[in-house]
Amino acid sequence: MFQRHITKRPKMAPVLVLWLAMCLGATWAVDRGNFKTCDQSAFCKRQRALKPGDSPYRALLETMELTNTRLTLQLINDNNKVRLLLELYRLQGNITRVKINELKPLKPRYEVPDVLIRDPPTEPLSVLSQDESGVVLSLGVESQRVIVSVRPFRLDIMEGHDVLMSLNSRGLLAFEHLRMRKDTGAQYTLVVFDFQATKEEEEKAEEGMWEETFKSHSDSKPNGPSSISLDFSLPGVEHVYGIPEHADDLKLKTTDNGDPYRLFNLDVFQYELYNPMALYGAVPVMLAHNAQRTTGIFWLNAAETWVDISSNTAGKTVFGKMLDYVQGSSEIPQTDVRWISESGIIDVFIMLGPTPKHVFSQYASLTGTQSFPPLASLGYHQCRWNYNDQEDVRSVDAGFDEYDIPYDFIWLDIEHTDGKRYFTWDPHKFATPKEMLQGLMDKKRKMVAIVDPHIKIDSNYKIHNEIRSRGFYVKNKDGGDYEGWCWPGNAGYPDFTRADMRAWWASMFAYDQYEGSMENLYTWNDMNEPSVFNGPEVTMHKDAVHGDWENRDVHNLYGLYVQMATADGLVQRSGGVERPFVLTRAFFAGSQRYGAVWTGDNAAEWDHLKISIPMCLSLGLVGISFCGADVGGFFKSPTPELLVRWYQTGAYQPFFRAHAHLDTPRREPWLFGPENTALIREAVRQRYTFLPYWYQQFYHAYRTGEPVMRPLWVEYTQDPATFAVDDEFLIGQNLLVHPVTEEGARGVTAYLPGKEEVWFDIHTFQKHNGAQNLYIPVTMSSIPVFQRGGSIIPRKMRVRRSSSCMEHDPYTLYAALNARGVAEGELYIDDGHTFNYEKKEFIHRRLSFSNNVLSSVNLVPDSHFTTNSWIERIVLIGSSKPAKVTLKTADGNESQLEFDFDASMSVVTVRKPGMNAGADWTVTLQ
């Protein structure tokens, strides 16, 4: 929610008025001049000036120490004699950790806390061989080993004869050691990197080392240059993914002819597409994949980071690659990646797979899994900046009932507060918030209200007074409270890096503190990059101070900490019973533990609809499954066709919320004529029928770290045709979705993967073989979705006004048979909103069909939960006609069931079997 036109606001200072006028002019597009390129970022420019070659670093084998948990080894820069300390760990689960820090830094360098869920458990390393050129260590997994080469220093991780990954093979390890400034009179050695410099080079290199200016903003850099860099080579790899957030394709591009990908949380106004500019969040995790193996790199650093990617096959045409093959070229594809961060240490986790699901598990073991959300949060969310008052909320809520469209949450943006004072309500427009919330609760619906982390500086505002009196604000470089401009005008920024600040913030969500709140009110954290309208790049000054550290060191953590504290507050207000729901715009590695994210301030344009798919796929690959985009686009006004297509796409993405800018015309689903209302209604209702499957997928993500919405290559790892596909996706293993994202489309071509697979259209039950490009004619009602043969998906077909109203409704089981006449699935049920699932208060059943018998078996015998829901229908897709169908229940009773058979589609529909969804039973086709 950036750059908004503000009406009926208190008088603002001229700087904010000017800023808003600039941002809200006739042209709605990013002003790239507000954001740095690599050339404008002094440390990135310095680092990028270093070209591949022999590294000046040498390993000092005589300093090697090997304990049961780690290897330590000193590295020396032969140009300046500065020593670094290498730590090498073999971690449980086929992960190798590499840390590099100064041996004796002038002062401590920042190491990221609170992201890892625990100190990763180690496994013993052992020396296989050693001589003067290096040492070979066993990694314990089959024939995996790491080779430490002495001169120049490099690491090679191998399996058998294959190099899986090399570190510093291009000599781009560069560590700007902390030093005293020349003009202090203290001892000083200029080493921009690790080469001998002429006086001219020294003077040029000095630029931006101790002070840097961007536009009108100055960065004082009291610690001087402190950047770090390391290169990784990936033999045999052409496809790399991840490092969100960028509005770009799923497969990452090479950066040789432009800027690197940037990771620096920023409030970017109507961002451009298909470029490497930084956006709201940063997850420094990259996955590499080929048909033989998947690996991952987790660069644990919270400072501004740039990632360069190059490839020896980049730019080659298909013909060029064929020519290589015909001519017998032996060149092995290789991707080289270079990470550059402004401060901190090198702390990298190398996840060695070998499969995508191994990498997901490895990363989850480090940073945790996606939080298990309340079931209702997987329904539809209706949002706008802003619903005007309580009557507006009541009217919109009634509109959903009138037009028979289900929804679970209605949202309030910043205008609901008393003058942008968060944790308050406008005394005129929202005078009786509990009455409003109770009206929603009576319909089993909920609300989300925004709580941003910039606090209005106002001596009559309780929240501000408390934070100031406790000394909880971020400080400026001179020691005073840091102040910047945001929605309230002059604002302070709580220091969420402090555990005591986060605990206090959490306490503000208690019902007796957050007046007007109730148990069906949840929270949205926006602007938490943090956004500072008059700051450099619309964010906080890097020399702002968080305790012992600069914002430079911690910047990308701020949003994670805000969401963490907010989620903790929602849990604590319920006495630890209820699951929270918190949406955040800014995020980092580990944010998956605290709720949902969305792709920020998009626009009502077809390309923005398309880009929502790879953006959410990229987030899912790095642990953040609960992702969505503003349906309809935040800025501008969608055509009816675009709006319908966006609802149809959003209905099959994890977080499903419509949102719109204050200056856009209203766009509730029923405002575009009866035909479009019917199309939107059908898309939303489809979402609700699949809620049992969505919920089951999120439970699986919570347990395993696997993404809910995933690229095709995750399941079809050896099929190169899937490796770059990002206009379609899988939900779990069993649903394939190819949304219509082209204006005026009359057809789409979907790739159906898997040579042995069959896929069934969920609407018509038409059967299609895998490993083909299928042309699908479409009309405005079409949402191309396919169920994988061999799967069983539970659905609830009685759609009501909200998910909570459907709690006790019956299930329909859709069993799509594979070529062998077999299908499997699961059914997961719990109360939908508490943490009682942690005490095994749930139903988790295995559904399987083989040899013409469908059965339900308890997967967790010591679980305990009961449900009123039953099985009201079984649909067997791809089945032959039986003579009869019989049900046998756990008590031994047998009964004959009614069924229909559609010969044209080979579908058997068993009607009213009636058994409890939590019971053991078998249904036999004879």
Side-chain angles (χ1 to χ4, degrees):
M1 286 181 22
F2 176 46
Q3 280 92 343
R4 312 172 182 226
H5 176 68
I6 301 173
T7 58
K8 297 184 181 177
R9 296 177 185 270
K11 188 174 181 181
M12 292 178 288
V15 66
L16 184 55
V17 174
L18 177 63
W19 181 89
L20 286 166
M22 289 168 59
C23 295
L24 294 167
T27 303
W28 272 356
V30 67
D31 180 356
R32 299 192 69 162
N34 282 330
F35 304 101
K36 289 182 180 180
T37 63
C38 180
D39 268 354
Q40 293 169 315
S41 177
F43 81 91
C44 184
K45 185 177 181 179
R46 287 197 306 273
Q47 289 278 6
R48 235 185 173 197
L50 182 63
K51 301 303 180 185
D54 286 340
S55 174
Y57 283 99
R58 173 167 53 92
L60 301 173
L61 281 186
E62 66 273 16
T63 66
M64 186 176 79
E65 295 182 14
L66 183 62
T67 68
N68 199 38
T69 59
R70 69 173 182 167
L71 174 140
T72 60
L73 179 66
Q74 290 180 28
L75 310 177
I76 189 167
N77 181 326
D78 281 331
N79 288 341
N80 62 23
K81 309 309 177 189
V82 172
R83 294 194 179 196
L84 305 178
L85 180 66
L86 166 74
E87 299 175 67
L88 188 66
Y89 301 83
R90 175 186 159 211
L91 304 183
Q92 284 182 13
N94 206 17
I95 306 170
T96 299
R97 184 181 193 178
V98 178
K99 293 179 74 173
I100 303 176
N101 197 353
E102 294 184 51
L103 180 64
K104 295 180 179 178
L106 200 60
K107 59 183 287 188
R109 297 180 69 115
Y110 189 68
E111 299 188 37
V112 175
D114 301 318
V115 168
L116 302 179
I117 56 174
R118 57 178 175 169
D119 196 15
T122 60
E123 293 185 340
L125 283 163
S126 59
V127 174
L128 295 176
S129 63
Q130 180 177 346
D131 59 25
E132 68 278 1
S133 65
V135 60
V136 181
L137 302 160
S138 171
L139 290 177
V141 179
E142 297 176 3
S143 56
Q144 282 185 9
R145 59 204 184 280
V146 59
I147 300 171
V148 183
S149 299
V150 168
R151 187 195 294 266
F153 163 71
R154 67 181 272 173
L155 295 175
D156 292 282
I157 298 173
M158 301 191 66
E159 185 172 274
H161 297 293
D162 298 325
V163 178
L164 303 182
M165 192 179 302
S166 299
L167 284 65
N168 201 36
S169 61
R170 295 190 299 147
L172 295 174
L173 168 61
F175 214 100
E176 292 185 327
H177 65 281
L178 299 178
R179 66 206 76 177
M180 300 297 292
R181 189 168 183 168
K182 270 183 183 174
D183 53 23
T184 64
Q187 183 180 3
Y188 174 85
T189 307
L190 171 71
V191 181
V192 179
F193 300 120
D194 309 307
F195 52 80
Q196 300 295 333
T198 66
K199 187 174 180 184
E200 219 173 76
E201 286 172 330
E202 284 190 17
E203 289 172 356
K204 189 173 181 184
E206 280 280 308
E207 294 175 14
M209 286 175 60
W210 295 93
E211 187 171 13
E212 185 174 356
T213 300
F214 178 66
K215 301 186 82 170
S216 62
H217 301 283
S218 179
D219 176 5
S220 63
K221 295 195 174 180
N223 296 313
S226 59
S227 69
I228 57 174
S229 165
L230 184 60
D231 63 278
F232 300 76
S233 294
L234 303 163
V237 168
E238 293 183 82
H239 294 79
V240 289
Y241 314 90
I243 57 169
E245 183 177 32
H246 300 98
D248 209 345
D249 296 322
L250 176 65
K251 180 195 173 186
L252 297 171
K253 300 182 176 76
T254 57
T255 59
D256 298 325
N257 298 316
D259 261 8
Y261 284 95
R262 191 183 188 199
L263 295 171
F264 189 59
N265 292 0
L266 292 172
D267 183 351
V268 182
F269 170 69
Q270 195 180 323
Y271 47 85
E272 289 184 9
L273 307 185
Y274 304 107
N275 73 56
M277 287 178 67
L279 288 178
Y280 312 98
V283 184
V285 175
M286 180 181 288
L287 277 69
H289 178 73
N290 61 25
Q292 288 73 46
R293 178 178 290 271
T294 309
T295 56
I297 300 169
F298 173 27
W299 177 267
L300 182 53
N301 189 296
E304 179 184 348
T305 297
W306 299 79
V307 185
D308 255 326
I309 300 170
S310 58
S311 166
N312 64 2
T313 58
K316 279 193 180 179
T317 63
V318 172
F319 176 76
K321 292 180 181 180
M322 287 175 62
L323 195 63
D324 284 348
Y325 178 77
V326 171
Q327 293 176 344
S329 170
S330 60
E331 183 180 34
I332 298 171
Q334 178 167 305
T335 295
D336 297 310
V337 179
R338 183 187 185 192
W339 299 75
I340 304 168
S341 292
E342 184 174 13
S343 65
I345 70 166
I346 292 172
D347 189 1
V348 62
F349 297 83
I350 299 164
M351 299 169 287
L352 294 172
T355 69
K357 293 181 181 180
H358 284 114
V359 174
F360 301 143
S361 175
Q362 288 154 2
Y363 181 62
S365 75
L366 299 171
T367 68
T369 60
Q370 175 67 57
S371 60
F372 190 26
L375 173 58
S377 66
L378 301 179
Y380 173 62
H381 300 250
Q382 181 67 33
C383 185
R384 178 176 179 80
W385 179 35
N386 203 89
Y387 287 118
N388 299 324
D389 49 32
Q390 287 180 212
E391 175 54 30
D392 198 6
V393 170
R394 189 205 63 75
S395 174
V396 171
D397 174 71
F400 279 89
D401 293 334
E402 180 182 350
Y403 291 95
D404 195 24
I405 301 172
Y407 88 96
D408 270 86
F409 284 82
I410 190 166
W411 291 52
L412 295 180
D413 211 319
I414 55 176
E415 310 302 331
H416 84 278
T417 61
D418 181 7
K420 314 304 177 298
R421 298 169 181 87
Y422 304 108
F423 299 99
T424 70
W425 305 84
D426 185 297
H428 307 292
K429 297 178 180 179
F430 294 91
T432 54
K434 284 192 175 181
E435 180 182 307
M436 172 180 63
L437 288 165
Q438 187 61 53
L440 294 170
M441 188 178 289
D442 291 345
K443 293 184 175 183
K444 297 191 175 183
R445 288 172 174 155
K446 299 168 176 63
M447 173 172 276
V448 172
I450 200 166
V451 178
D452 286 348
H454 48 259
I455 303 302
K456 184 179 179 69
I457 294 175
D458 175 1
S459 59
N460 295 316
Y461 179 25
K462 179 186 79 169
I463 298 292
H464 163 69
N465 290 337
E466 287 258 354
I467 294 173
R468 174 159 284 180
S469 67
R470 293 168 184 261
F472 281 163
Y473 278 127
V474 174
K475 307 302 179 189
N476 60 36
K477 63 184 175 63
D478 300 315
D481 287 347
Y482 179 89
E483 296 182 7
W485 287 93
C486 210
W487 296 128
N490 203 28
Y493 291 78
D495 188 354
F496 284 90
T497 68
R498 295 178 55 163
D500 53 355
M501 165 59 214
R502 296 196 299 273
W504 175 85
W505 180 268
S507 73
M508 290 299 99
F509 289 90
Y511 297 123
D512 60 352
Q513 294 291 331
Y514 189 171
E515 293 182 18
S517 66
M518 290 175 56
E519 56 267 35
N520 64 332
L521 180 68
Y522 296 82
T523 309
W524 171 17
N525 294 147
D526 197 3
M527 317 297 286
N528 54 338
E529 293 75 26
S531 180
V532 182
F533 291 164
N534 60 337
E537 301 192 88
V538 201
T539 193
M540 189 172 284
H541 291 72
K542 286 183 174 178
D543 55 10
V545 177
H546 304 254
D548 294 331
W549 307 103
E550 292 183 281
N551 182 265
R552 176 185 337 277
D553 305 305
V554 307
H555 179 86
N556 287 344
L557 288 173
Y558 193 84
L560 174 140
Y561 278 134
V562 174
Q563 190 185 24
M564 176 192 295
T566 302
D568 286 347
L570 296 191
V571 173
Q572 290 170 22
R573 73 177 185 180
S574 70
V577 173
E578 297 289 330
R579 291 177 238 169
F581 172 74
V582 182
L583 179 72
T584 182
R585 190 171 69 179
F587 51 83
F588 189 67
S591 288
Q592 67 269 15
R593 306 196 298 264
Y594 304 108
V597 306
W598 92 107
T599 62
D601 296 345
N602 60 1
E605 298 171 357
W606 287 93
D607 279 349
H608 276 265
L609 168 59
K610 293 174 195 172
I611 207 74
S612 70
I613 298 172
M615 288 182 77
C616 280
L617 287 173
S618 296
L619 281 161
L621 289 175
V622 299
I624 301 176
S625 272
F626 207 175
C627 169
D630 286 346
V631 169
F634 178 65
F635 290 110
K636 305 184 180 179
S637 298
T639 63
E641 181 191 3
L642 175 57
L643 185 65
V644 167
R645 291 303 193 198
W646 214 317
Y647 268 98
Q648 292 171 342
T649 302
Y652 287 92
Q653 292 177 342
F655 176 55
F656 184 23
R657 181 187 75 153
H659 186 36
H661 189 281
L662 184 72
D663 284 344
T664 62
R666 295 289 286 253
R667 61 167 89 138
E668 282 72 42
W670 49 87
L671 297 179
F672 295 82
E675 289 184 10
N676 291 311
T677 299
L679 292 168
I680 293 171
R681 178 191 301 116
E682 174 57 24
V684 177
R685 289 173 68 87
Q686 280 186 39
R687 170 60 166 235
Y688 276 77
T689 69
F690 277 108
L691 282 181
Y693 183 69
W694 279 107
Y695 196 51
Q696 176 185 308
Q697 295 310 306
F698 270 92
Y699 181 70
H700 190 66
Y702 158 73
R703 292 296 302 270
T704 67
E706 294 175 17
V708 172
M709 176 181 172
R710 59 187 67 164
L712 272 59
W713 64 260
V714 167
E715 295 296 332
Y716 300 91
T717 57
Q718 297 182 333
D719 183 355
T722 68
F723 292 176
V725 171
D726 62 6
D727 58 354
E728 63 185 75
F729 54 91
L730 294 165
I731 303 168
Q733 295 179 321
N734 298 328
L735 279 182
L736 185 150
V737 186
H738 192 303
V740 181
T741 60
E742 294 283 349
E743 184 175 12
R746 295 186 178 182
V748 299
T749 299
Y751 181 67
L752 303 182
K755 289 181 181 177
E756 307 299 321
E757 300 279 29
V758 292
W759 296 89
F760 294 91
D761 185 310
I762 68 162
H763 309 293
T764 66
F765 302 136
Q766 187 171 351
K767 178 181 176 180
H768 304 280
N769 292 324
Q772 68 159 318
N773 287 299
L774 179 69
Y775 179 79
I776 307 155
V778 298
T779 64
M780 278 306 299
S781 65
S782 302
I783 314 177
V785 182
F786 300 87
Q787 182 174 345
R788 186 180 62 84
S791 66
I792 301 175
I793 292 180
R795 296 173 68 178
K796 285 191 173 185
M797 306 308 288
R798 302 187 187 186
V799 177
R800 303 186 192 274
R801 63 163 56 121
S802 73
S803 63
S804 297
C805 293
M806 299 165 63
E807 179 182 1
H808 302 300
D809 282 350
Y811 291 88
T812 294
L813 305 181
Y814 286 83
L817 309 188
N818 63 17
R820 302 186 308 278
V822 172
E824 284 198 343
E826 295 179 12
L827 178 61
Y828 177 86
I829 308 171
D830 62 19
D831 64 25
H833 58 94
T834 75
F835 287 103
N836 289 348
Y837 65 88
E838 294 177 344
K839 299 183 284 188
K840 294 193 175 180
E841 293 186 19
F842 57 71
I843 292 166
H844 194 189
R845 304 195 69 79
R846 165 77 63 201
L847 305 170
S848 58
F849 183 87
S850 62
N851 298 320
N852 287 327
V853 177
L854 177 64
S855 62
S856 174
V857 178
N858 193 353
L859 273 173
V860 187
D862 59 342
S863 63
H864 47 99
F865 188 73
T866 57
T867 179
N868 293 329
S869 296
W870 69 100
I871 309 299
E872 73 168 344
R873 189 179 296 109
I874 298 167
V875 181
L876 295 161
I877 309 165
S879 174
S880 55
K881 182 179 181 180
K884 64 177 181 177
V885 178
T886 57
L887 166 67
K888 185 175 182 180
T889 55
D891 57 12
N893 288 332
E894 290 193 28
S895 56
Q896 195 161 322
L897 302 175
E898 297 177 8
F899 70 91
D900 296 327
F901 179 68
D902 181 341
S904 66
M905 286 290 113
S906 299
V907 174
V908 175
T909 303
V910 181
R911 304 194 178 282
K912 300 179 182 178
M915 54 283 201
N916 186 274
D920 290 346
W921 49 263
T922 58
V923 170
T924 304
L925 280 65
Q926 296 173 311

